[in-house]
Amino acid sequence: MLPLTSRQQFTVGSVLALLLVATRGQHFATLHSLPGASWAVFFLAGVYLRPAWILPALLAGVAAMDLTPWFLGEGQFCITTAYAFLLPAYGSLWLAGRWYAARHRPAFSTLLPLGLSVFLGGAACELFSSGGFYFFSGRFAEPGMLEFAAREAKYFPSYLGSLVFYVGSAALVHAALAAIGRSHAATDA
């Protein structure tokens, strides 16, 4: 993948941060018509943003958004000791994005590694986040593998669908901007 300039990375990072704030849970400016973009933000940050500090910064931002209401006494069902499983969950998506970035080429053949990285990153994220919550949150009286598998069959497709929606949208924007860039380069030559 062609490296982005610092300015382009700042723009992408700003858009991803705004998308995270706008779609995460019941926080500041939630847009109820959009699905949560957290998974896609971590994946796309892995694809586009090079500095290593991006991952801990995003994790800190998510924690701040999630824990602020909890600290204010508003209660959060999901804030348990299992919350720590979000670290490897989101880290999996970020690493999947990094893996894909190293394989990206401006060709249709890049869709196979993109799809593979989205699916595997999403599956790992789901296993860490939902599995961690289900088995270690204390919210389920008798957690078992059969019930967990049934829950996965019910919830994972919608989470994966949201990830695919945002990553697919980003891929379309990326392709359009690349085509515009090639067009400008051809007219300048």
Side-chain angles (χ1 to χ4, degrees):
M1 172 176 257
L2 294 173
L4 297 180
T5 65
S6 295
R7 185 176 182 184
Q8 290 169 325
Q9 286 191 55
F10 178 79
T11 301
V12 169
S14 297
V15 168
L16 292 176
L18 288 172
L19 188 59
L20 186 64
V21 169
T23 64
R24 185 154 182 94
Q26 300 296 328
H27 301 299
F28 312 109
T30 301
L31 300 174
H32 294 287
S33 60
L34 290 176
S38 300
W39 286 23
V41 166
F42 280 91
F43 180 85
L44 293 169
V47 172
Y48 288 110
L49 307 178
R50 296 298 87 193
W53 59 263
I54 294 295
L55 178 60
L58 284 172
L59 289 168
V62 164
M65 284 188 284
D66 291 347
L67 296 175
T68 298
W70 184 69
F71 281 122
L72 296 175
E74 295 177 15
Q76 292 276 59
F77 181 77
C78 293
I79 305 299
T80 69
T81 55
Y83 188 80
F85 280 90
L86 288 183
L87 296 172
Y90 290 147
S92 297
L93 287 164
W94 186 77
L95 287 172
R98 293 287 251 219
W99 181 87
Y100 171 71
R103 285 148 186 81
H104 173 79
R105 304 290 176 264
F108 281 109
S109 61
T110 200
L111 293 176
L112 181 61
L114 176 60
L116 183 65
S117 62
V118 166
F119 179 78
L120 292 177
C125 178
E126 176 65 10
L127 287 175
F128 279 118
S129 63
S130 291
F133 185 74
Y134 179 74
F135 288 105
F136 301 104
S137 69
R139 302 280 193 221
F140 300 91
E142 294 183 34
M145 288 304 293
L146 288 178
E147 183 183 350
F148 178 68
R151 295 175 67 79
E152 286 304 294
K154 180 177 180 180
Y155 296 112
F156 179 58
S158 68
Y159 293 143
L160 186 61
S162 294
L163 176 62
V164 168
F165 167 74
Y166 285 114
V167 172
S169 298
L172 290 173
V173 169
H174 179 101
L177 291 174
I180 291 168
R182 285 190 302 274
S183 174
H184 285 273
T187 58
D188 291 342

